[in-house]
Amino acid sequence: MRTRTMHNPWLKLREGMNEEDYDLINGLQERCIREDQTTLKLELDYKLAARSSTERKGIGPINEFMYFDGQELIGYIGICEFGGAGSPLEVNGMVHPEYRRQGVFGTLSKLVMDERRSRGSKSMLLLSDRKSEAGQAFIQGTGANYHHSEHEMYLRTDWTGVHDNSTEDVTFRIATNADAREIQRQNAIYFGDDRVEEGTDEPESRMILPEEEAQRGMTIYLAEADGQVIGKVHIQLSSGIGGIYGLGVLPEHRGKGYGRAVLLRAIDRLKEAGARDIMLQVVVENASALRLYQTCGFVETSTMDYYEL
């Protein structure tokens, strides 16, 4: 592949992205995925919705780092922060295939590290597709330590579903901000999120607020059976692709088929909303969840490695 020389390099740093930024970044993402045959986790749709659903006053933290040559976007790194103020920063990025090995990613990464320090040097997760040699090599050079890996899985297009009586026993209720503490409690159980301990007076700023998430396109459902909350799931539809996140069943309600029922109901909701494809992510070591997803028609398409800095 030919290498193009930069003639008019400049940087653009933003707190959030607008539609023009989105189109440029997404175009570069599509090219990198097509040519590299690897996966990126940039969360562009979520971030665009988040920008349009909130209003800030003054200068906020920088999350979008863009490198241009003239009018062409040739490099990008984005910071994502999920789960409130106490969550780690997630970082993923890319460089135009014809502009690599010219210091583009190095320049952007230095700016990202400066931004991290300005936020109190909080924990940062660097993400790379396992098959990306360049991404893995860059992360190894930072001294970051391996944290965990997630399989990305897609529902097979020929999967028609199976009859499951337990689905009829489970109902969904849209979560409100009044359910924020319950959602944080469940996250601590399912995902080892020790930032919130049961019974503590956790500030609202550190919680996931369902009504704010809904404005960004993410709907959080509490799953109920026999009048009790038995678990939860978050779903999102963007550009025809449905996403399933944060799914879990409380320990005292496991072994009754509720996990499968919640998953199937989430699939139904997304199909009713017009999803062409449905994807989810699962921690590689979570063998029971992996088996559940496979039996419900999901297949692994890629593996994303997370390293903690």
Side-chain angles (χ1 to χ4, degrees):
M1 180 181 296
R2 71 188 181 103
T3 299
R4 295 164 60 183
T5 302
M6 290 182 286
H7 296 288
N8 184 24
W10 58 283
L11 296 166
K12 181 179 181 180
L13 311 180
R14 293 179 61 98
E15 176 188 358
M17 66 177 63
N18 56 26
E19 292 185 1
E20 179 183 0
D21 297 331
Y22 174 93
D23 290 339
L24 290 171
I25 298 168
N26 191 49
L28 180 57
Q29 174 181 226
E30 290 176 351
R31 173 154 191 172
C32 289
I33 289 174
R34 183 175 61 252
E35 298 201 17
D36 297 336
Q37 294 297 297
T38 56
T39 300
L40 293 162
K41 191 171 184 287
L42 304 178
E43 309 291 358
L44 301 184
D45 292 285
Y46 181 86
K47 295 174 85 171
L48 179 62
R51 178 64 175 173
S52 62
S53 66
T54 58
E55 293 184 2
R56 288 182 179 270
K57 295 181 180 180
I59 299 175
I62 298 171
N63 296 300
E64 316 303 331
F65 300 78
M66 292 166 269
Y67 200 121
F68 286 83
D69 183 28
Q71 298 302 309
E72 185 171 15
L73 178 69
I74 63 172
Y76 168 77
I77 296 181
I79 295 177
C80 292
E81 187 171 5
F82 302 106
S87 61
L89 306 176
E90 294 189 8
V91 176
N92 199 209
M94 59 192 169
V95 175
H96 191 295
E98 296 178 1
Y99 284 91
R100 292 172 181 170
R101 298 180 180 84
Q102 298 185 62
V104 173
F105 203 81
T107 298
L108 292 174
S109 65
K110 289 177 183 177
L111 294 170
V112 169
M113 297 306 170
D114 289 342
E115 175 64 23
R116 174 196 173 220
R117 284 188 286 271
S118 75
R119 300 190 194 187
S121 296
K122 64 188 302 181
S123 176
M124 176 178 282
L125 295 175
L126 307 180
L127 282 59
S128 175
D129 188 305
R130 183 166 293 178
K131 295 183 296 183
S132 173
E133 294 181 3
Q136 294 285 344
F138 174 81
I139 290 175
Q140 293 302 320
T142 67
N145 297 312
Y146 175 78
H147 190 270
H148 73 281
S149 299
E150 293 181 354
H151 290 312
E152 185 170 86
M153 306 182 75
Y154 273 80
L155 187 66
R156 294 199 317 267
T157 55
D158 61 346
W159 190 78
T160 57
V162 294
H163 180 69
D164 193 321
N165 291 329
S166 65
T167 307
E168 302 171 4
D169 300 329
V170 173
T171 59
F172 276 1
R173 172 172 67 81
I174 295 178
T176 68
N177 286 351
D179 299 305
R181 194 169 299 280
E182 172 62 18
I183 291 165
Q184 288 293 77
R185 184 181 78 90
Q186 291 194 36
N187 281 340
I189 293 170
Y190 307 148
F191 311 117
D193 186 351
D194 58 3
R195 291 176 291 108
V196 178
E197 297 180 2
E198 189 171 1
T200 61
D201 187 19
E202 192 67 18
E204 186 177 271
S205 63
R206 288 169 62 93
M207 292 186 181
I208 297 173
L209 298 177
E211 293 169 36
E212 290 187 7
E213 292 296 290
Q215 293 179 346
R216 302 179 182 120
M218 181 81 73
T219 303
I220 301 177
Y221 289 100
L222 289 177
E224 298 180 335
D226 297 325
Q228 300 182 70
V229 172
I230 55 96
K232 70 175 181 68
V233 67
H234 309 202
I235 68 172
Q236 182 181 34
L237 179 64
S238 179
S239 302
I241 298 177
I244 297 176
Y245 309 94
L247 188 154
V249 173
L250 292 168
E252 62 268 29
H253 296 291
R254 293 173 184 169
K256 304 174 184 178
Y258 287 150
R260 184 180 185 84
V262 172
L263 177 60
L264 293 176
R265 279 208 176 276
I267 291 171
D268 287 342
R269 291 291 173 99
L270 287 168
K271 286 186 173 181
E272 291 167 2
R276 297 189 306 271
D277 297 297
I278 298 176
M279 60 80 65
L280 52 77
Q281 288 136 0
V282 57
V283 175
V284 171
E285 292 79 12
N286 193 342
S288 60
L290 184 59
R291 284 194 300 271
L292 169 64
Y293 300 145
Q294 289 170 336
T295 61
C296 287
F298 286 85
V299 295
E300 300 165 29
T301 55
S302 64
T303 301
M304 186 70 68
D305 293 329
Y306 290 68
Y307 296 84
E308 186 170 22
L309 194 65

